[in-house]
Amino acid sequence: LLAKGAPAPDFTLQTPDGKELSLKDFRGKYVVLDFWASWCPDCCEDTPKVKEMWEKYGDKVEFIGVSFDTEKDKWSSYIEENGLGWKHVSPLAKWKETQVSQDYKVNWIPSMYMINPEGEVVFGTVMIDKISKELEAISK
């Protein structure tokens, strides 16, 4: 994972509706990046917890799900069926072959990062409970 204080690499990826979204568009805000895939059992297990954090902190922090699904239909169906109302993007390519996974040193999914308003990594983890504590700290 990237070190605390490292600049968060920018990316531009497609949303489920075919538009493009860039990380740089969220400068000035806290952002949680959630690297996941619908085929990943651990990711699916974390889905309700991510949704709970989004419902609790989504008015203060932008959530962006970065999926490593390769099939658009499975990806968008999972988002819809589970009511995942935050922003989602995907390179629609195999996880280890993507630039975004290399840039963020994603060696395991789910992995999560918190990015500060200046575009620096505040925190990176594979443990969802740790991100929840960071969110609580910045929301006070």
Side-chain angles (χ1 to χ4, degrees):
L1 293 168
L2 294 174
K4 182 177 182 173
D10 192 28
F11 57 78
T12 300
L13 296 169
Q14 268 198 358
T15 63
D17 62 2
K19 295 181 178 153
E20 288 190 338
L21 182 143
S22 295
L23 181 61
K24 70 177 184 271
D25 298 338
F26 299 92
R27 278 287 163 90
K29 298 180 178 183
Y30 275 97
V31 176
V32 168
L33 295 179
D34 177 25
F35 293 93
W36 70 287
S38 67
W39 48 259
C40 161
D42 292 341
C43 302
C44 294
E45 188 179 311
D46 277 0
T47 295
K49 295 175 192 167
V50 177
K51 188 173 180 181
E52 193 178 293
M53 288 189 306
W54 171 69
E55 288 169 349
K56 189 171 182 180
Y57 303 110
D59 59 336
K60 298 177 179 85
V61 178
E62 286 288 345
F63 281 71
I64 303 173
V66 182
S67 171
F68 294 122
D69 279 276
T70 56
E71 295 177 47
K72 188 174 183 178
D73 291 346
K74 287 184 180 177
W75 171 47
S76 50
S77 293
Y78 188 88
I79 292 167
E80 196 173 310
E81 288 164 12
N82 290 280
L84 311 183
W86 55 95
K87 293 168 178 58
H88 292 274
V89 294
S90 180
L92 291 173
K94 290 183 179 174
W95 160 24
K96 307 252 180 177
E97 296 171 9
T98 67
Q99 189 63 51
V100 71
S101 71
Q102 292 167 22
D103 289 348
Y104 280 88
K105 300 181 189 234
V106 178
N107 296 317
W108 184 260
I109 55 174
S111 285
M112 297 184 91
Y113 278 100
M114 184 182 297
I115 312 297
N116 69 17
E118 292 75 42
E120 300 164 337
V121 172
V122 173
F123 195 76
T125 185
V126 296
M127 299 172 69
I128 194 165
D129 295 339
K130 290 186 176 186
I131 256 315
S132 188
K133 285 182 180 144
E134 287 294 318
L135 283 165
E136 211 173 291
I138 65 160
S139 295
K140 289 183 178 175

